Amino acid sequence: MPEQPRRGAVAAFRGWRARRPFWGGLLLALGGGEILLTEKASLKVVMHIGMQGLAGYLLPTLMLILGLLILFNPGQRLFYSLTGILVSLGTWLTSNLGGFFVGLLLGAVGSCLAFGWLPDQEPRVSRRRRRREARAAAGSAPGGAGEPA
């Protein structure tokens, strides 16, 4: 029996999000954005902008683009996530220690989440729901142990 189509913007967004490594792409893009923002910080905060400043802006921009590519082209997520982790680690040297560690960690975690995402995986069922279904199955079995004595 086919499921009724979902209605509403929130339900449509949930369906779109379920078909791609959403959190991985989002964290990678946020890491790139955070590093770009620390590049624009006041000179009292900036520790260094490496290699004449170009790589300091290039690598976080690549992180941002790779995060968006993971979101909108999930078929190539393996290549994008591997490139994303290398670029994230490269920001350690080129832009304020990877945006003072925050952008570096966001990019690394996002890349790992995108790499580990499986498109054909069944949706997870909560432990509470599994227990409830097990009790219902045990209770409905003939002569089952779930019936009170």
Side-chain angles (χ1 to χ4, degrees):
M1 189 165 167
E3 246 182 63
Q4 274 188 319
R6 296 181 188 177
R7 293 192 173 101
V10 173
F13 176 70
R14 283 184 184 156
W16 179 81
R17 188 181 69 189
R19 293 186 304 270
R20 60 200 71 246
F22 178 76
W23 293 110
L26 182 67
L27 289 177
L28 183 58
L30 286 176
E34 194 274 335
I35 294 172
L36 279 173
L37 286 176
T38 60
E39 291 288 329
K40 294 291 186 180
S42 67
L43 291 177
K44 297 174 189 169
V45 177
V46 173
M47 294 173 74
H48 71 281
I49 298 176
M51 299 182 204
Q52 288 83 27
L54 177 63
Y57 291 107
L58 181 66
L59 294 182
T61 304
L62 281 174
M63 284 175 64
L64 187 64
I65 291 170
L66 288 169
L68 293 174
L69 283 171
I70 287 172
L71 289 176
F72 295 109
N73 188 11
Q76 298 295 321
R77 67 178 164 74
L78 294 176
F79 173 72
Y80 297 146
S81 62
L82 288 174
T83 308
I85 191 73
L86 293 174
V87 169
S88 296
L89 293 174
T91 61
W92 174 265
L93 300 174
T94 59
S95 41
N96 290 328
L97 298 175
F100 303 111
F101 300 111
V102 176
L104 171 71
L105 290 176
L106 283 173
V109 169
S111 294
C112 291
L113 284 174
F115 186 82
W117 180 75
L118 296 173
D120 298 334
Q121 191 173 17
E122 290 289 323
R124 294 191 69 178
V125 178
S126 71
R127 185 178 297 166
R128 183 177 296 159
R129 186 172 178 184
R130 284 191 306 243
R131 286 182 186 162
R132 190 178 325 128
E133 289 172 358
R135 279 191 222 122
S140 66
E147 296 176 10

